[in-house]
Amino acid sequence: MGRYKLIESPDILLQWWDEYKAHVDANPDYIQEATGKGVMTREVKKPYLRQGFEAWCYRNKGLDVHNYIDQSNDSYADFKGVVSCMRREWEDDQIGGTMTGRYKAPNLTARLNGLVDKTDAKTEGIQKITIERVSQNTNSTGT
């Protein structure tokens, strides 16, 4: 017999996710920018975040949903498909929003979503660099 769950079905968790997204979309942030016409205020869409969803669920539904999202044990296996969908949606929003310039934090977005840009900066011992100075005072005869 399975363990009693506070969220009765994956459909309810998905409904809450959709309610959270509607809440985020209806409550933008505001940024003030200096322009040639003075200081202007403009709306900025907030990203969908796991942490934001968890906080929203706690405040609005009275539940801590991190075990459902973490899939901490087999008790939450029937929520796996919904959680995968939610994760893809928040990653798509964050990454797509950063790539299109809507969000201005590419390094943070990469870290949040496990993306890495690796470069190999390894050197083998000491390297000799030779610099040759070329004079600009040469004419066609080479003097």
Side-chain angles (χ1 to χ4, degrees), residues 4 7 25 31 45 57 59 83 93 109 118:
Y4 172 75
I7 302 174
D25 293 343
I31 293 179
K45 181 192 176 301
C57 285
R59 288 189 170 272
V83 169
D93 177 65
T109 300
K118 294 183 180 180

Side-chain angles (χ1 to χ4, degrees), residues 68-140:
Y68 294 86
I69 296 172
D70 290 339
Q71 299 284 302
S72 55
N73 62 47
D74 290 339
S75 298
Y76 304 99
D78 48 341
F79 288 81
K80 187 175 185 173
V82 166
V83 169
S84 293
C85 174
M86 291 165 39
R87 181 171 282 116
R88 287 183 188 112
E89 286 184 7
W90 79 57
E91 288 174 355
D92 178 64
D93 177 65
Q94 293 168 12
I95 295 167
T98 300
M99 292 176 77
T100 60
R102 185 176 47 200
Y103 307 135
K104 308 260 187 247
N107 293 337
L108 177 59
T109 300
R111 267 185 271 143
L112 286 173
N113 292 292
L115 304 174
V116 224
D117 186 13
K118 294 183 180 180
T119 56
D120 186 5
K122 205 163 79 171
T123 60
E124 301 293 330
I126 299 173
Q127 295 182 347
K128 182 179 179 182
I129 299 175
T130 305
I131 300 173
E132 181 180 330
R133 183 168 185 249
V134 178
S135 173
Q136 293 181 2
N137 296 331
T138 59
N139 58 28
S140 61

